[in-house]
């Protein structure tokens, strides 16, 4: 491996301002509690049982049905969140000023800050050749430290996304929210995410450079995809990679996924996705 270096033009203070602005603009809707109890948001009413507090009585339902009912509220839940970050070389190669990797780091940091505001511990699992593993924490200092570590990249770094996802269940001590940020060039990662989704809540944020969609106006060329080894011959006016090759497989497995193109504004789509994913439970394209 070479010497890692920052993959954006921002200094430390500018980067923090950008991340904080992103966090302020995101509506975080991914940590809905499936448990009922004392809380703020009304969930349902049920029949009264001996020992239930009188202050919880639902007098409207009681009057309508003639049977005593009590209100139940959604209990707040601190669900651990793991950011699974693809740090491989394919994330860093870019045809425009901001790479997939630079956007992914900022989004991961912004989501982590919002999660901390909701008192949800955040951890990190890097998927490259570097040793990046931080268990979920509520410390903003720790989160910003690993965020600045992520800003550095290496154009020779291979991916370990699928291998990391296969071993992640051993690390997760309880049901968690796993957010995968990757360009999904590791084809085996799809199956690993599907297996992980059987026990945990999973989100896949897939990043795509405009050059990966083809039609960039170049001549005929031969190429090999660095991580998968796939070889192909193409020309600049033809799309040589599928736009969203794994979306359907992930959605069938109950994984919410969103493709973010680096040449398009993403904030509105990401905010809407995070706000409604728990209701829709499907991909938003």
């Amino acid at each position: 491996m070479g010497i890692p270096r920052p993959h954006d033009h921002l200094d430390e203070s500018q980067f923090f301002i950008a991340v904080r602005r992103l966090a302020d603009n995101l509506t975080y809707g991914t940590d809905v509690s499936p448990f009922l109890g004392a809380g703020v948001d009304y969930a349902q009413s049920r029949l009264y049982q001996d020992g239930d507090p009188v202050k919880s009585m639902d007098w409207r339902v009681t009057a309508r049905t003639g049977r005593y009912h009590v209100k139940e509220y959604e209990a707040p839940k601190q669900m651990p969140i793991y950011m699974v970050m693809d740090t491989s070389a394919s994330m860093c190669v870019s045809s425009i000023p901001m790479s997939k990797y630079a956007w992914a780091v900022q989004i991961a940091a912004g989501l982590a800050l919002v999660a901390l505001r909701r008192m949800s511990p955040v951890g990190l699992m890097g998927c490259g050749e570097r040793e990046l593993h931080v268990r979920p924490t509520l410390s903003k200092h720790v989160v910003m430290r690993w965020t600045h570590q992520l800003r550095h990249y290496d154009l020779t770094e291979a991916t370990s996304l699928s291998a990391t996802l296969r071993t992640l269940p051993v690390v997760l001590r309880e049901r968690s929210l796993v957010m995968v940020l990757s360009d999904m060039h590791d084809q085996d990662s799809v199956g690993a995410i599907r297996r992980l989704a059987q026990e945990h809540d999973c989100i896949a944020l897939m990043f795509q450079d405009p050059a990966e969609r083809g039609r960039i106006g170049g001549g005929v060329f031969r190429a090999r995809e660095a991580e998968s080894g796939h070889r192909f011959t193409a020309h600049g006016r033809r799309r040589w990679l599928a736009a969203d090759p794994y979306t359907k497989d992930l959605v069938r497995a109950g994984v919410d996924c969103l493709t973010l193109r680096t040449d398009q504004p993403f904030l509105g789509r990401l905010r809407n996705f995070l706000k409604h994913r728990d209701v829709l439970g499907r991909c938003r394209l």
Side-chain angles (χ1 to χ4, degrees):
M1 293 179 59
I3 300 175
R5 46 184 172 165
H7 203 293
D8 55 51
H9 60 282
L10 305 176
D11 60 29
E12 185 171 332
S13 59
Q14 291 174 327
F15 177 79
F16 179 74
I17 292 173
V19 169
R20 187 171 59 185
R21 184 180 296 120
L22 174 60
D24 291 340
N25 283 281
L26 285 176
T27 300
Y28 196 71
T30 60
D31 195 13
V32 177
S33 171
F35 302 104
L36 301 177
V40 177
D41 297 325
Y42 170 78
Q44 65 182 18
S45 294
R46 61 167 175 80
L47 288 172
Y48 173 84
Q49 298 177 357
D50 291 339
D52 287 335
V54 177
K55 65 179 182 180
S56 298
M57 295 294 297
D58 189 335
W59 295 112
R60 289 186 178 181
V61 177
T62 298
R64 187 173 65 249
T65 62
R67 305 176 67 184
Y68 291 111
H69 282 73
V70 295
K71 294 181 179 180
E72 286 188 326
Y73 296 85
E74 189 175 86
K77 180 177 183 292
Q78 295 180 350
M79 178 180 286
I81 300 174
Y82 255 103
M83 299 289 177
V84 179
M85 182 74 183
D86 188 349
T87 61
S88 62
S90 67
M91 287 284 287
C92 303
V93 178
S94 178
S95 62
I96 58 177
M98 283 289 283
S99 69
K100 295 176 287 185
Y101 189 73
W103 280 126
V105 171
Q106 286 199 22
I107 290 174
L111 291 173
L113 287 185
V114 181
L116 293 181
R117 294 174 186 176
R118 294 171 55 93
M119 298 304 293
S120 293
V122 184
L124 168 71
M125 186 69 76
C127 299
E129 296 179 293
R130 286 175 282 169
E131 187 66 29
L132 292 174
H133 179 203
V134 182
R135 291 192 176 276
T137 177
L138 288 171
S139 170
K140 182 178 178 181
H141 173 73
V142 173
V143 169
M144 292 310 299
R145 186 172 61 193
W146 61 248
T147 296
H148 285 293
Q149 282 185 278
L150 281 178
R151 293 182 64 199
H152 296 78
Y153 75 104
D154 191 326
L155 288 176
T156 65
E157 189 168 0
T159 186
S160 62
L161 180 59
S162 59
T164 300
L165 290 170
R166 285 194 294 268
T167 59
L168 194 56
V170 180
V171 178
L172 300 177
R173 299 175 178 177
E174 57 184 309
R175 181 173 175 83
S176 304
L177 171 61
V178 179
M179 303 189 70
V180 180
L181 298 93
S182 173
D183 54 11
M184 304 298 286
H185 284 202
D186 184 349
Q187 298 178 356
D188 295 334
S189 62
V190 177
I193 295 175
R194 294 177 62 179
R195 288 189 291 272
L196 190 65
Q198 296 175 5
E199 299 181 5
H200 301 277
D201 192 9
C202 293
I203 294 176
L205 298 181
M206 299 181 289
F207 296 83
Q208 188 176 78
D209 187 271
E212 293 177 311
R213 299 176 65 89
R215 301 175 182 174
I216 58 176
V220 178
F221 60 91
R222 295 178 180 177
R224 180 178 66 85
E225 208 288 316
E227 292 172 354
S228 67
H230 173 64
R231 296 179 180 273
F232 58 91
T233 301
H235 55 80
R237 296 187 179 277
R238 181 176 71 84
R239 177 179 293 172
W240 56 85
L241 293 177
D244 299 291
Y246 310 121
T247 295
K248 292 183 179 179
D249 289 340
L250 291 173
V251 172
R252 290 193 191 102
V255 178
D256 291 321
C257 53
L258 177 69
T259 299
L260 298 173
R261 292 182 54 181
T262 57
D263 61 335
Q264 295 180 347
F266 69 87
L267 180 58
R269 297 181 66 240
L270 180 59
R271 180 170 53 209
N272 191 55
F273 170 77
L274 295 174
K275 180 179 179 180
H276 295 291
R277 64 169 291 273
D278 57 289
V279 178
L280 300 177
R282 58 182 174 85
C283 178
R284 298 184 62 82
L285 297 176

